[in-house]
Amino acid sequence: MQLSFGGFYNFFTIYESEIGISLDMIRWMWIFGVICEIVMLYFQGPLLQKNLLQVIKITTLITALRWFMLYLFGQNVSMVFLSQSLHAFSFALYHTAVISYLFLLYSQKILAQQFYLGISFGLGGSLGALLAGKLYGDNLFLYEIHSPLAGLISIFETLDVDSVFILSVDVPFVDKAIIEVIKNQAQKSSDYDALIALSPSGLEPLCGVYRRSILPLAKELFSKDIHKLNHLLKLSKMKEIAFEEQDKFLNLNTPQDYEMARSL
């Protein structure tokens, strides 16, 4: 989420002013968004009594809609104000729901929140800002909607590393043992662009090691507006690392997934 906010926080004013919106009007747009956020923080209590995973999914979808509105109607003052009203959902309600969900899910509640804030706001916000700087242009908020490929490119262009381990935040049961297996395989197999977990249900592109050697292909696909990691992996030199435990790769996307996770 914070990766996508990189373009908004750092370039919204520049983006709107280049379209022709006055700085005074842009100031009011920022103020209006904050007011909507405060109103949501005050009245959101009943919403947090609902299924938290469902709230997180809906607010993520609303955020994608918000960026799409800025892409399509950035020059329309009324539509921009409407998109700013969605800050109540994409910031206030989303982050409160995530923190509440972490509080329910993990026993080490303070540590879980520290990791969330550090990784989401710290790492995610920083990478999002750097990536937005590279992608800035008319299509900035279109890219903000979704692009795991853009995130991968940003990592290698920002960090001086030869490889990274990528793990999605919605697979909480992937443990140290699984990570160690993939890590050991990566140390033994240096001629692969990526080493990715393969669960009984299929390839897990957001659980594995990616090497810098995959960067040129990733940039080529990105330039063609192809953003899916699965497509990147099919064209790269990849090694699949099979695991038998499907439960370890349970992806929490629905209320049913959440209830299943609680029973494990």
Side-chain angles (χ1 to χ4, degrees):
M1 178 68 86
Q2 288 306 112
L3 187 70
S4 79
F5 265 88
F8 175 73
Y9 283 145
N10 293 278
F11 293 98
F12 174 72
T13 298
I14 299 172
Y15 184 85
E16 289 297 317
S17 62
E18 287 187 349
I19 290 175
I21 307 299
S22 70
L23 287 176
D24 284 339
M25 184 60 68
I26 295 172
R27 290 189 190 100
W28 282 111
M29 291 172 176
W30 280 107
I31 292 169
F32 181 68
V34 173
I35 291 173
C36 292
E37 170 193 338
I38 293 171
V39 171
M40 175 60 78
L41 288 171
Y42 187 82
F43 290 105
Q44 68 183 351
L47 295 175
L48 296 175
Q49 304 303 314
K50 309 293 183 181
N51 185 288
L52 290 174
L53 271 180
Q54 196 71 13
V55 172
I56 293 169
K57 289 173 61 179
I58 292 172
T59 51
T60 301
L61 179 62
I62 289 173
T63 303
L65 174 63
R66 180 184 181 186
W67 303 149
F68 197 51
M69 288 172 65
L70 284 177
Y71 167 68
L72 290 177
F73 308 110
Q75 75 285 356
N76 186 311
V77 172
S78 299
M79 292 300 291
V80 174
F81 269 99
L82 179 59
S83 74
Q84 283 295 85
S85 71
L86 300 181
H87 195 63
F89 297 91
S90 57
F91 183 84
L93 183 57
Y94 171 83
H95 289 294
T96 308
V98 170
I99 290 173
S100 300
Y101 178 64
L102 291 174
F103 186 84
L104 293 174
L105 192 61
Y106 293 102
S107 58
Q108 297 185 4
K109 305 179 188 305
I110 295 177
L111 183 61
Q113 292 186 26
Q114 288 174 340
F115 269 102
Y116 166 67
L117 293 173
I119 294 173
S120 177
F121 284 85
L123 183 59
S126 298
L127 291 177
L130 291 168
L131 179 61
K134 293 181 179 295
L135 298 178
Y136 181 77
D138 293 341
N139 294 330
L140 174 63
F141 288 104
L142 182 62
Y143 293 138
E144 294 290 291
I145 295 173
H146 73 284
S147 181
L149 190 62
L152 180 63
I153 293 171
S154 176
I155 288 172
F156 282 120
E157 292 195 337
T158 304
L159 304 178
D160 184 19
V161 295
D162 293 323
S163 62
V164 292
F165 190 99
I166 292 180
L167 180 64
S168 174
V169 297
D170 56 359
V171 282
F173 297 113
V174 171
D175 54 22
K176 182 179 178 181
I178 290 175
I179 295 173
E180 287 293 336
V181 169
I182 299 174
K183 177 184 173 183
N184 291 336
Q185 286 288 327
Q187 290 173 342
K188 296 175 182 177
S189 309
S190 59
D191 54 343
Y192 289 97
D193 297 321
L195 296 94
I196 307 298
L198 179 68
S199 71
S201 63
L203 196 65
E204 304 287 344
L206 291 177
C207 181
V209 171
Y210 288 80
R211 290 202 170 98
R212 183 173 290 276
S213 57
I214 207 170
L215 184 57
L217 177 59
K219 287 183 174 181
E220 179 185 344
L221 293 179
F222 190 84
S223 69
K224 297 177 180 177
D225 204 27
I226 299 172
H227 299 263
K228 291 186 178 296
L229 289 179
N230 276 324
H231 194 84
L232 172 69
L233 292 171
K234 287 178 182 178
L235 297 176
S236 66
K237 191 174 182 181
M238 175 194 63
K239 182 176 183 179
E240 299 174 348
I241 303 175
F243 294 92
E244 296 180 356
E245 310 96 330
Q246 182 60 55
D247 288 347
K248 294 290 186 181
F249 296 92
L250 177 62
N251 195 291
L252 301 189
N253 287 324
T254 67
Q256 292 75 21
D257 294 337
Y258 175 67
E259 293 301 326
M260 184 183 299
R262 294 187 63 183
S263 68
L264 295 177

